[in-house]
Amino acid sequence: MIDEEPQRKRMWVHPIISQRAIKGQFAVLYSDLRMHPQKFFNYCRMSVATFDRLLGALRAALTFQDTNMRRSVSPEERLIITLRYLATGNSFSSLHFDFHMGTSTIAGVVRATCSAIWWRLKASVLPPPTRQQWFDIAQGFLERAQFPNCIGALDGKHIRVKKPPNSGSQYYNYKQFFSVVLLALADTNYRFIIVDIGSYGRTAEARIFMASRMGRWLQSNQLDVPEPANLPGSSGPPAPYVVVGDEGFALSPHLMRPFPRRGLDAKRRHFNYRLSRARRYVECAFGFFSNKWRVFLSAIQLAPQNVNVVIQACVVLHNYIRTYDTTPEEEADVYIPPSQTETLPLGRSGSVGLRVRELFLDYFSSPEGSFPLPQ
């Protein structure tokens, strides 16, 4: 009988991982980065003060008990790892070598921290708007976009993902890649007001909006939106408070979309221009969102449920940083022409929606509501 060769014992901790406290990126850089605010901002995508404030809000959820076998990962390191993943989109395998931590541990840290960010902060940075907040949002659109009675700019963003197994064409969108949809309503401070996350990429944004709680609440007047009011300087009939969207959404009494681009007369072209001035804020919000959290610049290599958790965390962080950190380049009004956006026309315009749009059309052509077109 041939003696079997004894099986080699696996290492309890790989030598690379065992050097985390000495050579890991957190151990090497964290203290030095805090002494250089601009480098810290580039690394974490937020200021030191905002990081400390965020850490204070999350510390209880990110603190775990040490055991006799090993020490837990500190809340500071958990947050740094997660922010680096969101800011760079680097794979967990890459972060494994950066932070000298196991790949599965990295994945667990990112997932748990993103979940904590969403559940701990969404009530404070993404609350249901009150009536006074709707008035404030409308005032912002009047002052900055010259569009009265507007309570938000609506659009969807396709978040690129790897094809989930056994999913068929559910996630395959009209832009010809796999995605889930982030549908968002934004204000003139580029903050998200209400979001819907995780719809299949193949679903049209108009259908997502109609099926979402946001759409149902708006159509059934459950969002505490102010009552219709006269447009500034006008003695005409009161106009309802509306959100603005692109051609992909169906016209309704509470949602304004542009006129079709063919055969426009001067009045309708002016209306489309005014609407695009208001709608640009959600386009810019998505631009700031993706440029700060570059995990969205390539396909996210996670299961759909974990992709949704990542999106939720980044939505909350977007609003959190827009509240506490601003930079001059993000404050610049960047105009995105309607011709640069892709849309899929869907749905028929309701008669009440048509009357509301005609009300805004006549107002924008009147002396009280006129605004010069760009030359």
Side-chain angles (χ1 to χ4, degrees):
M1 181 176 180
I2 301 176
D3 294 336
E4 293 183 359
E5 183 178 350
Q7 186 176 3
R8 296 181 61 184
K9 294 183 178 179
R10 295 180 60 187
M11 293 174 288
W12 172 247
V13 178
H14 194 280
I16 290 179
I17 297 176
S18 67
Q19 300 180 61
R20 175 166 64 92
I22 301 171
K23 296 183 178 180
Q25 203 169 97
F26 177 80
V28 172
L29 288 179
Y30 179 66
S31 297
D32 291 340
L33 284 172
R34 292 183 65 90
M35 298 170 61
H36 303 279
Q38 186 57 49
K39 293 294 185 183
F40 188 95
F41 187 93
N42 293 341
Y43 188 83
C44 294
R45 314 302 288 166
M46 64 183 67
S47 67
V48 177
T50 300
F51 176 87
D52 290 341
R53 187 181 291 110
L54 177 64
L55 181 63
L58 299 175
R59 185 176 290 277
L62 302 184
T63 301
F64 293 82
Q65 187 175 3
D66 294 336
T67 68
N68 293 330
M69 304 299 293
R70 65 182 65 184
R71 295 180 59 186
S72 62
V73 181
S74 68
E76 291 83 354
E77 189 167 7
R78 287 176 174 273
L79 187 54
I80 287 287
I81 290 170
T82 302
L83 292 177
R84 284 306 289 168
Y85 171 71
L86 300 178
T88 64
N90 289 346
S91 67
F92 295 150
S93 297
S94 177
L95 294 174
H96 154 70
F97 292 106
D98 290 340
F99 289 92
H100 291 246
M101 188 179 293
T103 303
S104 60
T105 304
I106 294 274
V109 164
V110 170
R111 184 171 56 249
T113 305
C114 285
S115 181
I117 290 170
W118 172 253
W119 291 110
R120 291 278 175 154
L121 297 178
K122 72 170 182 175
S124 61
V125 302
L126 204 64
T130 63
R131 178 161 295 200
Q132 183 56 51
Q133 288 172 326
W134 287 126
F135 278 124
D136 294 340
I137 292 169
Q139 186 64 26
F141 276 98
L142 176 61
E143 293 176 356
R144 301 185 69 176
Q146 290 73 50
F147 200 109
N149 289 26
C150 178
I151 55 172
L154 178 69
D155 202 5
K157 178 175 177 59
H158 285 269
I159 306 295
R160 192 184 295 263
V161 299
K162 72 173 183 179
K163 182 183 183 299
N166 305 316
S167 62
S169 62
Q170 286 180 320
Y171 292 88
Y172 195 71
N173 64 41
Y174 71 96
K175 298 181 179 181
Q176 301 184 351
F177 61 84
F178 296 95
S179 67
V180 297
V181 179
L182 165 60
L183 188 72
L185 188 69
D187 63 17
T188 53
N189 292 313
Y190 310 108
R191 286 195 294 257
F192 299 129
I193 306 169
I194 307 174
V195 296
D196 182 87
I197 297 169
S199 296
Y200 295 135
R202 70 177 295 180
T203 309
E205 292 167 5
R207 289 197 177 96
I208 295 172
F209 175 70
M210 292 166 60
S212 69
R213 288 186 298 174
M214 181 197 326
R216 295 197 305 270
W217 289 344
L218 184 64
Q219 299 299 334
S220 59
N221 297 317
Q222 297 183 44
L223 287 175
D224 199 23
V225 174
E227 296 297 323
N230 288 339
L231 299 174
S234 171
S235 58
Y241 284 83
V242 298
V243 301
V244 295
D246 61 23
E247 298 95 325
F249 294 97
L251 185 68
S252 77
H254 298 288
L255 197 159
M256 293 292 99
R257 54 171 281 178
F259 288 98
R261 298 175 191 171
R262 292 183 179 179
L264 290 176
D265 58 20
K267 285 180 62 174
R268 293 187 172 192
R269 186 166 62 253
H270 185 77
F271 174 88
N272 284 4
Y273 168 69
R274 296 287 285 273
L275 187 140
S276 69
R277 281 179 59 85
R279 193 176 60 80
R280 65 179 174 171
Y281 286 98
V282 68
E283 297 283 351
C284 292
F286 283 144
F288 298 145
F289 177 78
S290 296
N291 285 331
K292 184 173 286 289
W293 309 116
R294 300 192 174 189
V295 67
F296 299 119
L297 296 185
S298 59
I300 301 177
Q301 304 295 309
L302 300 176
Q305 63 271 22
N306 292 332
V307 171
N308 291 345
V309 173
V310 167
I311 299 171
Q312 288 173 339
C314 289
V315 164
V316 167
L317 289 172
H318 173 86
N319 278 11
Y320 195 86
I321 293 171
R322 293 298 308 173
T323 301
Y324 296 110
D325 279 339
T326 55
T327 58
E329 59 271 18
E330 289 185 346
E331 287 302 311
D333 283 345
V334 181
Y335 177 61
I336 300 177
S339 60
Q340 292 183 10
T341 61
E342 296 184 71
T343 57
L344 287 179
L346 178 72
R348 296 181 178 179
S349 302
S351 59
V352 179
L354 287 170
R355 290 198 297 271
V356 172
R357 186 166 66 177
E358 290 294 325
L359 181 61
F360 281 96
L361 176 69
D362 293 338
Y363 174 74
F364 290 152
S365 301
S366 69
E368 296 83 7
S370 62
F371 184 83
L373 281 168
Q375 299 301 320

